[in-house]
Amino acid sequence: MAYDYSSLVEKTKHWAKQAVAAGWINADAAQHLIDVDTRTPDALFNHSGSRPLIVAFMGGTGVGKSSLLNRLAGKAIARAGVERPTSREVTLYHHHSVAIKHLPEQLPLAQIKTAEHDNEARKNVIWIDMPDFDSTEQSNKRQVLEWLPHIDMLIYVVSPERYRDEKAWRLLLAEGGRHAWLFVLNQWDRGQTEQYEDFKQQLHKAGFADPVIFKTICGDSSQADEFAQLESTISSLATEHIVAQLEQRSSQIKKDELKKNLQSTRQLIGSVSAFQQLPTLWQEQWQRSAHVLQQGFAWPIQQLARHYADHAADLLNNPATAKYAASGTKMNLWDDWSEARFDDALDEFVINADQLSIPVSPLKKQLSALREKAPKIVQAQSELSARQALANPGNALHRGFLKFMRLCEIVLPLAAICWVGYQVFIGYYTSNMTNVEYLGVDFAIHSSLLIAITWLTPFFILKKLKPSLEKSALRGLNKGVNNAINMIDGEALLVIENVSHEYTEQIKQLDGIIEFCGAADRLPSIDSNSPLARMLID
């Protein structure tokens, strides 16, 4: 699907604004994309369809730009003189049928002079005389830079004395590929062939294989020059087809420049391989930090386990009272030391991510929630595990054995009592039927001892093997801390996954715009025999 340049710029600006808001690029990078130039020659007109070729005279002070335009018009329409700077305003010279009534806001109307003509042969050309680019007045330079995007063809005017002007030459090198160029060596009556050849050689170095150079004289000299050929060449290029070719070429060059800017920005938001390293980077960091935290929790856990053992009944039966008691004794596991160590772990992880050229703002933004969440996780998990440990003290084997002892504490005395009762009944019955002596004192003592032993033995075992609440609380707190550390690890990995997903979405959008810039598009082909081919830099 093809997009025109303005649509691509709008997509770029939309992406840049949301990317800087999300922290993926900095404000300078975003502004660089938002400030992409969308100005075109078409912006000077309020209608679609065909338009004139826009040609501008550009050059340094005193080279005779205004004199050339005056010679073209046959009268003094542009201010010319010998004072520096000579040209302070923009002069437009066009056919009266061409409507230029609403210039873009950045072009100051107060500094634009307009002259009209009724020559039908020049109907398809708008001539512009621009201020001296090398002027000491910054306003002149600003005007030139504001007008350049609205120009199709630039006529670069030099003089024999000033054909090596550095400021104008830098502009030529910067703007070379965006316009068609004609060159005029004005004041040729004072020039030499060596200067012409040197100027031509300089243009060759700038990228013009066979530059079109006209030698003109705008003084009172009667010498022949090439001004007529200059005007004829411009007129031959002022066709709808040539204008369309220049527009298409300018649009593609701007797309290529936009593509390069987007590709440079893409490098600022990290690489896929870097984001793939984040989970391993975090787990290595968290393994070290978790070990330090566990060591630091050892003493608070012991103190808190003792406190829980002392208030076990309240903790299980009246949580509000237990919570108040715990807070009143300052027995919280997560203290300033823990928070500082956790912050150090996150900060070091962010620094390591930054060293991988990953934008850290989205990472820091999501990790900030984890900074607040971690204390709650530790508190909740440690308290939950302590409650569970106090509710079920000891291990499963220990609890099973104690249950068996409790059963024995009931069953064995009852069995002993039943056995003694049986012996009493049988002894009484036997003594009545025979002359056998009744059970007697020894039996009474032994049976009492038997009943006592069957009850006291399980009771003693239960008493001695009763699980320590402190140890149970300690085990529960350690388990809770381990659970909390694993949960924090999982939360951090989830943050990394979310950030990686956001990165993938950013890259997807950015690559989409880059693709629409037309990686496979080429500059429109121009007939090598056409004078226009000599005016363009490939």
Side-chain angles (χ1 to χ4, degrees), residues 48-91:
S48 58
S50 61
R51 62 169 179 82
L53 180 71
I54 302 177
V55 181
F57 291 99
M58 187 197 78
T61 305
V63 297
K65 303 185 305 299
S66 300
S67 298
L68 286 170
L69 182 60
N70 291 338
R71 181 177 176 182
L72 181 73
K75 58 183 177 179
I77 61 171
R79 189 177 302 171
V82 294
E83 296 180 358
R84 296 175 63 92
T86 301
S87 299
R88 295 182 174 87
E89 61 187 6
V90 175
T91 302

Side-chain angles (χ1 to χ4, degrees), residues 185-212:
L185 186 54
N186 199 23
Q187 303 170 5
W188 179 243
D189 51 330
R190 301 200 301 267
Q192 298 178 3
T193 304
E194 292 79 5
Q195 293 171 322
Y196 173 84
E197 293 297 331
D198 187 37
F199 180 50
K200 186 175 181 180
Q201 186 64 27
Q202 292 297 316
L203 294 176
H204 182 72
K205 292 179 181 179
F208 293 94
D210 186 17
V212 180

Side-chain angles (χ1 to χ4, degrees), residues 423-437:
Q423 292 299 324
V424 170
F425 175 78
I426 295 299
Y428 177 76
Y429 178 79
T430 304
S431 64
N432 288 333
M433 299 294 295
T434 64
N435 294 323
V436 179
E437 185 180 355

Side-chain angles (χ1 to χ4, degrees), residues 333-372:
L333 290 179
W334 194 270
D335 53 14
D336 292 340
W337 179 87
S338 307
E339 184 172 356
R341 300 292 76 73
F342 184 66
D343 288 345
D344 290 343
L346 294 183
D347 292 341
E348 186 172 350
F349 172 63
V350 170
I351 291 173
N352 291 334
D354 185 50
Q355 292 176 349
L356 293 175
S357 299
I358 292 174
V360 296
S361 293
L363 198 59
K364 291 170 66 176
K365 187 181 297 183
Q366 295 202 32
L367 286 176
S368 62
L370 186 56
R371 292 179 192 268
E372 299 178 1

